[in-house]
Amino acid sequence: FFYSQMLGLDGSLVQASHFEGLITTIVGYIFLAMTLILCHGLAALVRFQRSRHLLGVCYIVVKVSLLVVVEIGVFPVICGWWLDICSLEMFDASLKDRELSFESAPGTTMFLHWLVGMVYVFYFASFILLLREVLRPGVLWFLRNLNDPDFNPVQEMIHLPIYRHLRRLILSVVVFGSIVLLMLWLPIRTIKFILPAFLPYNVMLYSDAPVSELSLELLLLQVVLPALLEQGHTRQWLKGLVRAWTVTAGYLLDLHSYLLGDQEENDDDADQQANNNLQGRNNNAIPDGLHAAHQAILQQGGPVGFQPYHQPIKFSFRIVLLIVFMCVTLLVASLVCLTLPVFAGRYLMSLWTGSAKIHELYTAACGLYVCWLSIRAITVLLAWMPQGRRVILLKVQEWTLMILKTVVVAVLLVGAIPLLLGLLFELVIVAPLRVPLDQTPLFYPWQDWALGVLHAKIIAAITLMGPQWWLKTVIEQVYANGIRNIDLHFIIRKLAAPVICVLLVSLCVPYVISAGVTMEMQNLVQRRIYPLLVMVVMLVGILSFQIRQFKRLYEHIKNDKYLVGQRLVNYERKAAGRSTTATHSSSSQD
């Protein structure tokens, strides 16, 4: 606060941001770090070693905290806002609309932009990891390897100076911003020029819309995209496309050795090429200090970190052509991704809804899944064709049966359970908090289902991370079986039926209880009985858990104090048709 008052940061500019407290606090910590640096230098001059060490530790804490805030908080927000600005024409919006939405709900707007920016950074980092699996080790020397066991971000924050972090931040902003321009803004302008009637996407929701935009965005980001990208064959397809593009570009530009390496060269030739490459790169005006430091870092991990290559003539010009070819490929890929799924989804949705406008998240998700299923079916048929017609017919019968089982399981696990879970969440949390007692709550099944899918995913993740119990065992068994070995009877009997029964009991029993009271109290009881029963169930669960823990503690104390020893007794199975007496019927514990 003191430093912010010194700079006059309590003016109209900071107040217009709606985050004046956060901004003044960050600026205050920045000047606190500068003050610690000054005091640290003065302590070094007067040789106060203990004070110098204490001031250095305080400066490191403030420095790491500020860098974490910048890299995890500020940078994703910048990416999210830049993505939003570059995609305004895609949604027929303007900067004035974004300004009004920010003024009406600044916290929610900043959180949504931060979430979109984090998703963008995450998928970009995942793509870089996939590139490292295809390209020659050492091609992406200017990008940090997140899979490197020696990579420690906190240690880098401590040891590297501030100007290095600022340079990295500026470089990251330039790279990420340029990719957004190349893969979002420029394709949108191209689509508007070639297909004027295709854009904008329909994302406007009316008062009677059954699904909120937020629930659809969360459903797309947390369910649709992970379900596609986490598939092993989808990743293999993408990796195969990247490898095919790399091989094509390498042979067209004579950069095959640079991009993929030469595995057939012997060690002597490899050493000679490495020396030539280092000499050639130094002649290409690459900074000796940065390149030497990077090569030293790479060679710490052994020969895997860097692989020698053959450098052709006019190497710099070929690299420029490679970058141009990469930009054109990314532009074409972005055009296909922005148009083909939406085209397919709009056509399929029009068969069902006619000329009614559908939210583009529906059409995009539907078209994306249809394209994925089509590519998957084509690849499977191509793999089956050499085996003959009879084998293809048998495979088609097996897959038809598997698809029917999958549809039944999807109706239960992806349809009924999320719908009941979302409705229960609406009755327990949303309706008591948002709707007064003198008003009647309205329930939208599609919105409850969309939120129920997210809740089911969160509950399943927490269950898999929790202790061992029947639900975790069943989910692990279903996940281990997969789609090809799907057991319909096991899923219905062990997973779907118990969960649906529990949810139905949770929904129906409170309603029946509230229907049995007088008319004057029925509305109050019906609106408050769901959260009350949930609190009672949670309280009973916590008490039962504590009782079990106390019993375990009691048994542990008793065994430590009174247990003398344990004796191992052989187990003899009874012979069939013959009765035998147990030789050791007493307890194995004294």
Side-chain angles (χ1 to χ4, degrees):
F1 179 76
F2 173 72
Y3 291 113
S4 65
Q5 291 294 329
M6 286 176 54
L7 295 178
L9 291 179
D10 56 341
S12 58
L13 182 61
V14 177
Q15 290 181 358
S17 65
H18 299 277
F19 296 98
E20 59 272 10
L22 179 62
I23 293 177
T24 53
T25 302
I26 292 176
V27 173
Y29 275 108
I30 292 174
F31 277 88
L32 179 61
M34 296 174 61
T35 305
L36 289 173
I37 294 175
L38 181 61
C39 294
H40 183 271
L42 293 177
L45 289 177
V46 298
R47 296 181 180 181
F48 288 168
Q49 297 299 329
R50 291 185 177 179
S51 301
R52 178 172 172 268
H53 178 72
L54 180 61
L55 291 171
V57 172
C58 295
Y59 167 71
I60 288 174
V61 172
V62 175
K63 173 187 173 183
V64 172
S65 302
L66 288 175
L67 290 175
V68 168
V69 170
V70 170
E71 292 190 3
I72 299 181
V74 177
F75 182 68
V77 170
I78 294 174
C79 293
W81 275 105
W82 186 239
L83 282 167
D84 191 7
I85 292 172
C86 292
S87 62
L88 287 175
E89 294 184 355
M90 188 166 60
F91 304 108
D92 195 17
S94 62
L95 289 176
K96 187 65 176 179
D97 299 332
R98 296 295 182 261
E99 183 181 355
L100 293 176
S101 63
F102 176 76
E103 290 178 355
S104 61
T108 304
T109 305
M110 294 298 289
F111 172 75
L112 290 177
H113 285 83
W114 175 85
L115 180 62
V116 173
M118 283 295 291
V119 171
Y120 169 57
V121 173
F122 171 76
Y123 283 113
F124 183 84
S126 301
F127 184 72
I128 294 299
L129 293 178
L130 187 141
L131 285 180
R132 290 188 181 275
E133 297 179 5
V134 176
L135 298 177
R136 176 187 62 85
V139 175
L140 301 177
W141 61 270
F142 50 91
L143 295 176
R144 288 179 293 182
N145 188 4
L146 300 179
N147 287 335
D148 187 3
D150 297 329
F151 173 64
N152 191 344
V154 178
Q155 188 175 1
E156 284 192 356
M157 290 180 184
I158 294 174
H159 291 290
L160 293 181
I162 290 293
Y163 74 91
R164 292 282 299 275
H165 291 288
L166 291 177
R167 188 174 65 183
R168 282 185 177 181
L169 178 63
I170 295 173
L171 179 62
S172 300
V173 171
V174 171
V175 171
F176 280 79
S178 303
I179 292 175
V180 171
L181 285 175
L182 180 64
M183 298 190 67
L184 192 62
W185 182 80
L186 189 58
I188 291 173
R189 301 294 299 177
T190 306
I191 293 172
K192 288 181 71 68
F193 178 75
I194 299 176
L195 302 172
F198 181 77
L199 293 177
Y201 289 162
N202 180 34
V203 294
M204 297 300 295
L205 297 176
Y206 305 98
S207 59
D208 57 347
V211 184
S212 68
E213 182 180 358
L214 179 59
S215 62
L216 278 174
E217 289 177 353
L218 293 177
L219 189 65
L220 179 65
L221 295 176
Q222 296 296 324
V223 178
V224 176
L225 286 180
L228 288 177
L229 297 177
E230 289 175 3
Q231 299 291 330
H233 42 265
T234 304
R235 193 175 187 277
Q236 292 299 322
W237 292 345
L238 184 59
K239 188 176 179 180
L241 289 175
V242 172
R243 181 175 293 276
W245 182 91
T246 305
V247 172
T248 304
Y251 280 110
L252 288 177
L253 301 174
D254 195 15
L255 292 175
H256 184 271
S257 176
Y258 174 75
L259 294 175
L260 297 175
D262 295 324
Q263 301 295 333
E264 67 272 7
E265 292 184 356
N266 54 29
D267 295 335
D268 295 334
D269 293 336
D271 294 335
Q272 184 66 28
Q273 290 293 338
N275 295 330
N276 293 335
N277 292 335
L278 290 175
Q279 202 170 28
R281 294 189 62 154
N282 289 331
N283 293 334
N284 288 333
I286 294 178
D288 294 339
L290 177 61
H291 184 65
H294 177 70
Q295 292 300 327
I297 292 174
L298 289 177
Q299 295 300 330
Q300 286 180 0
V304 180
F306 178 79
Q307 183 178 340
Y309 62 94
H310 171 71
Q311 180 173 309
I313 59 174
K314 297 182 179 179
F315 180 71
S316 301
F317 179 69
R318 296 177 188 272
I319 293 296
V320 172
L321 291 180
L322 177 67
I323 295 174
V324 173
F325 186 36
M326 180 187 65
C327 293
V328 173
T329 306
L330 291 176
L331 177 61
V332 174
S334 179
L335 286 173
V336 172
C337 294
L338 289 176
T339 56
L340 183 60
V342 178
F343 263 129
R346 285 179 179 178
Y347 176 73
L348 293 174
M349 287 291 182
S350 64
L351 298 178
W352 181 21
T353 60
S355 60
K357 290 187 176 181
I358 306 296
H359 199 287
E360 294 298 346
L361 285 177
Y362 276 127
T363 59
C366 180
L368 198 61
Y369 269 111
V370 168
C371 295
W372 176 81
L373 289 175
S374 302
I375 297 174
R376 179 63 176 161
I378 292 172
T379 55
V380 170
L381 288 176
L382 291 177
W384 288 348
M385 285 180 64
Q387 301 179 9
R389 183 181 300 175
R390 184 176 180 181
V391 176
I392 291 177
L393 291 177
L394 292 176
K395 292 288 187 181
V396 168
Q397 292 178 0
E398 294 178 1
W399 276 72
T400 303
L401 181 59
M402 185 190 67
I403 290 173
L404 293 176
K405 291 181 179 180
T406 306
V407 169
V408 175
V409 172
V411 169
L412 294 175
L413 299 185
V414 187
I417 291 179
L419 178 60
L420 296 176
L421 189 60
L423 184 59
L424 182 62
F425 181 80
E426 184 85 15
L427 292 170
V428 172
I429 303 295
V430 179
L433 293 178
R434 297 181 59 182
V435 183
L437 290 176
D438 57 347
Q439 297 180 5
T440 302
L442 297 178
F443 301 101
Y444 298 106
W446 285 105
Q447 182 175 354
D448 294 336
W449 172 80
L451 295 177
V453 171
L454 301 177
H455 298 151
K457 182 180 179 181
I458 295 172
I459 291 173
I462 294 175
T463 302
L464 292 175
M465 292 187 297
Q468 196 71 28
W469 59 307
W470 70 270
L471 185 58
K472 181 180 179 180
T473 305
V474 172
I475 293 176
E476 289 177 347
Q477 183 63 39
V478 172
Y479 185 77
N481 291 337
I483 296 179
R484 293 190 177 183
N485 300 322
I486 188 170
D487 190 351
L488 184 60
H489 181 263
F490 176 80
I491 292 175
I492 294 177
R493 184 170 55 91
K494 295 292 185 179
L495 181 60
V499 174
I500 291 176
C501 290
V502 170
L503 293 175
L504 286 176
V505 169
S506 303
L507 289 171
C508 297
V509 171
Y511 181 80
V512 173
I513 294 175
S514 61
V517 299
T518 60
M519 294 297 297
E520 293 78 8
M521 297 291 295
Q522 187 174 0
N523 186 31
L524 177 62
V525 174
Q526 192 173 10
R527 296 287 298 280
R528 294 294 182 259
I529 190 171
Y530 286 98
L532 179 62
L533 289 181
V534 169
M535 293 176 61
V536 171
V537 170
M538 292 178 60
L539 182 61
V540 171
I542 293 173
L543 289 178
S544 61
F545 175 76
Q546 294 296 331
I547 290 173
R548 289 197 302 268
Q549 292 297 106
F550 277 117
K551 285 184 178 180
R552 292 178 58 185
L553 179 62
Y554 169 74
E555 292 292 335
H556 180 71
I557 295 174
K558 183 181 69 173
N559 292 335
D560 286 344
K561 188 170 183 63
Y562 299 107
L563 184 62
V564 176
Q566 293 181 344
R567 183 176 60 187
L568 180 64
V569 178
N570 292 332
Y571 172 73
E572 297 180 359
R573 181 175 295 179
K574 294 181 181 181
R578 187 176 59 184
S579 61
T580 59
T581 58
T583 57
H584 300 283
S585 58
S586 60
S587 174
S588 62
Q589 293 184 357
D590 293 338

